[in-house]
């Protein structure tokens, strides 16, 4: 059957199939949610430890933490850019999981973590 109606239906079906192929992309095309952080740090405290992780960003770096302690845990975050080095305190409430963003500018990064503030 080679009628115009059949070709229109066949064309629409092929177009629909192409759209469906785009919508059902393979999982490898999506970002990997299990990507590991570049840096980690742990602090021992009363009742457990607090775990931190981060990957250096371009202008800011977000530090993720999970405090398993029964008390607030604190670390000093040492940041540096092309001209300066400075410390900022990160206070992690007991039993909480969250994050905090640190601004270090285009030429900067987190240098290290130090227990306490």
């Amino acid at each position: 059957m080679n009628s115009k109606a059949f070709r229109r239906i066949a064309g629409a079906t092929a177009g629909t199939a192409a759209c469906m192929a785009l919508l059902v992309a393979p999982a490898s095309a999506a970002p990997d949610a299990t990507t590991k952080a570049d840096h980690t740090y742990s602090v021992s405290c009363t009742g457990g430890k607090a775990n931190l992780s981060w990957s250096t960003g371009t202008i800011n770096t977000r530090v993720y933490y999970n405090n398993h302690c029964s008390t607030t845990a604190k670390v000093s975050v040492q940041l540096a850019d092309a001209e300066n080095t400075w410390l900022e305190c990160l206070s992690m409430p007991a039993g909480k999981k969250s994050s905090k963003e640190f601004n270090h500018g285009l030429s900067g990064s987190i240098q290290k973590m130090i227990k306490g503030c």
Side-chain angles (χ1 to χ4, degrees):
M1 183 183 247
N2 231 355
S3 70
K4 287 183 181 180
F6 178 74
R7 282 189 298 236
R8 268 186 275 154
I9 292 171
T13 304
T16 302
C19 286
M20 290 302 292
L22 289 173
L23 292 174
V24 186
S28 61
D32 184 8
T34 61
T35 301
K36 300 267 187 205
D38 293 333
H39 309 279
T40 59
Y41 184 74
S42 292
V43 178
S44 297
C45 49
T46 306
K49 63 181 178 176
N51 301 308
L52 301 99
S53 63
W54 68 97
S55 291
T56 303
T58 305
I59 296 174
N60 301 307
T61 296
R62 182 166 295 277
V63 175
Y64 297 89
Y65 64 84
N66 190 358
N67 186 358
H68 299 280
C69 304
S70 58
T71 59
T72 298
K74 294 183 179 184
V75 296
S76 295
V77 180
Q78 182 177 332
L79 299 125
D81 61 16
E83 300 174 4
N84 299 304
T85 300
W86 67 97
L87 295 174
E88 291 189 26
C89 186
L90 173 58
S91 181
M92 302 168 283
K96 296 293 179 179
K97 179 179 182 179
S98 190
S99 66
K100 182 177 178 182
E101 189 170 82
F102 294 91
N103 183 320
H104 47 68
L106 191 57
S107 66
S109 65
I110 293 176
Q111 300 297 300
K112 64 181 178 178
M113 302 271 182
I114 305 163
K115 185 176 180 177
C117 291

PDB file of all heavy atoms in Angstrom, residues 9 22-23 28 37 52 54 71-72 86 99 101 103 114:
ATOM      1  N   ILE A   9       1.019   8.346   7.863  1.00  0.00           N
ATOM      2  CA  ILE A   9       0.974   7.569   9.107  1.00  0.00           C
ATOM      3  C   ILE A   9       2.339   6.953   9.379  1.00  0.00           C
ATOM      4  O   ILE A   9       2.865   7.024  10.485  1.00  0.00           O
ATOM      5  CB  ILE A   9      -0.108   6.472   9.029  1.00  0.00           C
ATOM      6  CG1 ILE A   9      -1.478   7.125   9.015  1.00  0.00           C
ATOM      7  CG2 ILE A   9       0.013   5.513  10.204  1.00  0.00           C
ATOM      8  CD1 ILE A   9      -2.608   6.176   8.719  1.00  0.00           C
ATOM      9  N   LEU A  22      14.729   9.639  21.846  1.00  0.00           N
ATOM     10  CA  LEU A  22      15.398  10.736  22.549  1.00  0.00           C
ATOM     11  C   LEU A  22      14.973  10.799  24.007  1.00  0.00           C
ATOM     12  O   LEU A  22      15.767  11.115  24.887  1.00  0.00           O
ATOM     13  CB  LEU A  22      15.095  12.074  21.858  1.00  0.00           C
ATOM     14  CG  LEU A  22      15.753  12.275  20.501  1.00  0.00           C
ATOM     15  CD1 LEU A  22      15.243  13.555  19.866  1.00  0.00           C
ATOM     16  CD2 LEU A  22      17.263  12.305  20.629  1.00  0.00           C
ATOM     17  N   LEU A  23      13.682  10.521  24.259  1.00  0.00           N
ATOM     18  CA  LEU A  23      13.183  10.581  25.630  1.00  0.00           C
ATOM     19  C   LEU A  23      13.691   9.427  26.476  1.00  0.00           C
ATOM     20  O   LEU A  23      13.865   9.552  27.669  1.00  0.00           O
ATOM     21  CB  LEU A  23      11.649  10.575  25.627  1.00  0.00           C
ATOM     22  CG  LEU A  23      10.998  11.822  25.048  1.00  0.00           C
ATOM     23  CD1 LEU A  23       9.485  11.628  24.966  1.00  0.00           C
ATOM     24  CD2 LEU A  23      11.334  13.041  25.882  1.00  0.00           C
ATOM     25  N   SER A  28      23.683   5.959  30.808  1.00  0.00           N
ATOM     26  CA  SER A  28      25.046   6.490  30.751  1.00  0.00           C
ATOM     27  C   SER A  28      25.072   7.937  30.287  1.00  0.00           C
ATOM     28  O   SER A  28      26.037   8.639  30.505  1.00  0.00           O
ATOM     29  CB  SER A  28      25.913   5.641  29.825  1.00  0.00           C
ATOM     30  OG  SER A  28      25.381   5.657  28.515  1.00  0.00           O
ATOM     31  N   ALA A  37      33.777  12.333  45.657  1.00  0.00           N
ATOM     32  CA  ALA A  37      34.383  13.635  45.874  1.00  0.00           C
ATOM     33  C   ALA A  37      35.897  13.512  45.737  1.00  0.00           C
ATOM     34  O   ALA A  37      36.470  12.447  45.959  1.00  0.00           O
ATOM     35  CB  ALA A  37      34.027  14.144  47.262  1.00  0.00           C
ATOM     36  N   LEU A  52      33.474  14.756  56.117  1.00  0.00           N
ATOM     37  CA  LEU A  52      33.331  15.866  55.174  1.00  0.00           C
ATOM     38  C   LEU A  52      33.865  15.441  53.816  1.00  0.00           C
ATOM     39  O   LEU A  52      34.791  14.634  53.731  1.00  0.00           O
ATOM     40  CB  LEU A  52      34.120  17.090  55.661  1.00  0.00           C
ATOM     41  CG  LEU A  52      33.723  17.632  57.030  1.00  0.00           C
ATOM     42  CD1 LEU A  52      34.672  17.134  58.080  1.00  0.00           C
ATOM     43  CD2 LEU A  52      33.704  19.123  57.002  1.00  0.00           C
ATOM     44  N   TRP A  54      34.413  17.142  49.508  1.00  0.00           N
ATOM     45  CA  TRP A  54      34.258  18.262  48.584  1.00  0.00           C
ATOM     46  C   TRP A  54      35.058  18.022  47.318  1.00  0.00           C
ATOM     47  O   TRP A  54      36.005  17.256  47.289  1.00  0.00           O
ATOM     48  CB  TRP A  54      34.664  19.580  49.236  1.00  0.00           C
ATOM     49  CG  TRP A  54      36.132  19.715  49.531  1.00  0.00           C
ATOM     50  CD1 TRP A  54      37.062  20.353  48.762  1.00  0.00           C
ATOM     51  CD2 TRP A  54      36.857  19.221  50.669  1.00  0.00           C
ATOM     52  NE1 TRP A  54      38.314  20.288  49.357  1.00  0.00           N
ATOM     53  CE2 TRP A  54      38.209  19.584  50.524  1.00  0.00           C
ATOM     54  CE3 TRP A  54      36.497  18.479  51.792  1.00  0.00           C
ATOM     55  CZ2 TRP A  54      39.183  19.261  51.455  1.00  0.00           C
ATOM     56  CZ3 TRP A  54      37.471  18.147  52.712  1.00  0.00           C
ATOM     57  CH2 TRP A  54      38.792  18.542  52.540  1.00  0.00           C
ATOM     58  N   THR A  71      27.595  15.598  69.780  1.00  0.00           N
ATOM     59  CA  THR A  71      27.846  17.018  70.048  1.00  0.00           C
ATOM     60  C   THR A  71      28.168  17.735  68.732  1.00  0.00           C
ATOM     61  O   THR A  71      28.456  17.098  67.731  1.00  0.00           O
ATOM     62  CB  THR A  71      29.048  17.200  71.006  1.00  0.00           C
ATOM     63  OG1 THR A  71      30.201  16.608  70.396  1.00  0.00           O
ATOM     64  CG2 THR A  71      28.795  16.546  72.354  1.00  0.00           C
ATOM     65  N   THR A  72      28.139  19.054  68.770  1.00  0.00           N
ATOM     66  CA  THR A  72      28.514  19.846  67.602  1.00  0.00           C
ATOM     67  C   THR A  72      29.997  19.650  67.307  1.00  0.00           C
ATOM     68  O   THR A  72      30.823  19.690  68.216  1.00  0.00           O
ATOM     69  CB  THR A  72      28.232  21.346  67.849  1.00  0.00           C
ATOM     70  OG1 THR A  72      26.822  21.500  68.046  1.00  0.00           O
ATOM     71  CG2 THR A  72      28.671  22.204  66.686  1.00  0.00           C
ATOM     72  N   TRP A  86      43.384  32.248  54.425  1.00  0.00           N
ATOM     73  CA  TRP A  86      42.537  32.579  55.564  1.00  0.00           C
ATOM     74  C   TRP A  86      41.783  31.349  56.035  1.00  0.00           C
ATOM     75  O   TRP A  86      41.713  30.343  55.346  1.00  0.00           O
ATOM     76  CB  TRP A  86      41.576  33.722  55.222  1.00  0.00           C
ATOM     77  CG  TRP A  86      40.531  33.395  54.199  1.00  0.00           C
ATOM     78  CD1 TRP A  86      39.240  33.021  54.427  1.00  0.00           C
ATOM     79  CD2 TRP A  86      40.672  33.411  52.772  1.00  0.00           C
ATOM     80  NE1 TRP A  86      38.593  32.789  53.253  1.00  0.00           N
ATOM     81  CE2 TRP A  86      39.444  33.034  52.216  1.00  0.00           C
ATOM     82  CE3 TRP A  86      41.731  33.705  51.911  1.00  0.00           C
ATOM     83  CZ2 TRP A  86      39.236  32.952  50.843  1.00  0.00           C
ATOM     84  CZ3 TRP A  86      41.518  33.621  50.541  1.00  0.00           C
ATOM     85  CH2 TRP A  86      40.284  33.254  50.021  1.00  0.00           C
ATOM     86  N   SER A  99      25.403  20.903  54.109  1.00  0.00           N
ATOM     87  CA  SER A  99      26.557  21.404  53.365  1.00  0.00           C
ATOM     88  C   SER A  99      26.695  22.898  53.588  1.00  0.00           C
ATOM     89  O   SER A  99      25.765  23.561  54.048  1.00  0.00           O
ATOM     90  CB  SER A  99      26.403  21.111  51.877  1.00  0.00           C
ATOM     91  OG  SER A  99      25.312  21.838  51.340  1.00  0.00           O
ATOM     92  N   GLU A 101      28.759  26.350  51.547  1.00  0.00           N
ATOM     93  CA  GLU A 101      29.546  26.803  50.407  1.00  0.00           C
ATOM     94  C   GLU A 101      30.580  27.839  50.859  1.00  0.00           C
ATOM     95  O   GLU A 101      30.272  28.719  51.637  1.00  0.00           O
ATOM     96  CB  GLU A 101      28.622  27.414  49.348  1.00  0.00           C
ATOM     97  CG  GLU A 101      29.313  27.726  48.049  1.00  0.00           C
ATOM     98  CD  GLU A 101      28.328  28.088  46.968  1.00  0.00           C
ATOM     99  OE1 GLU A 101      27.904  29.254  46.926  1.00  0.00           O
ATOM    100  OE2 GLU A 101      27.973  27.200  46.178  1.00  0.00           O
ATOM    101  N   ASN A 103      33.432  30.632  49.430  1.00  0.00           N
ATOM    102  CA  ASN A 103      33.856  31.424  48.278  1.00  0.00           C
ATOM    103  C   ASN A 103      35.354  31.648  48.372  1.00  0.00           C
ATOM    104  O   ASN A 103      35.849  32.181  49.356  1.00  0.00           O
ATOM    105  CB  ASN A 103      33.115  32.759  48.264  1.00  0.00           C
ATOM    106  CG  ASN A 103      33.446  33.599  47.065  1.00  0.00           C
ATOM    107  OD1 ASN A 103      34.598  33.675  46.636  1.00  0.00           O
ATOM    108  ND2 ASN A 103      32.445  34.245  46.525  1.00  0.00           N
ATOM    109  N   ILE A 114      41.266  21.689  59.475  1.00  0.00           N
ATOM    110  CA  ILE A 114      41.946  21.588  60.766  1.00  0.00           C
ATOM    111  C   ILE A 114      40.877  21.401  61.832  1.00  0.00           C
ATOM    112  O   ILE A 114      39.902  22.162  61.871  1.00  0.00           O
ATOM    113  CB  ILE A 114      42.760  22.870  61.075  1.00  0.00           C
ATOM    114  CG1 ILE A 114      43.725  23.169  59.940  1.00  0.00           C
ATOM    115  CG2 ILE A 114      43.483  22.736  62.411  1.00  0.00           C
ATOM    116  CD1 ILE A 114      44.274  24.590  59.946  1.00  0.00           C
TER     117      ILE A 114
END
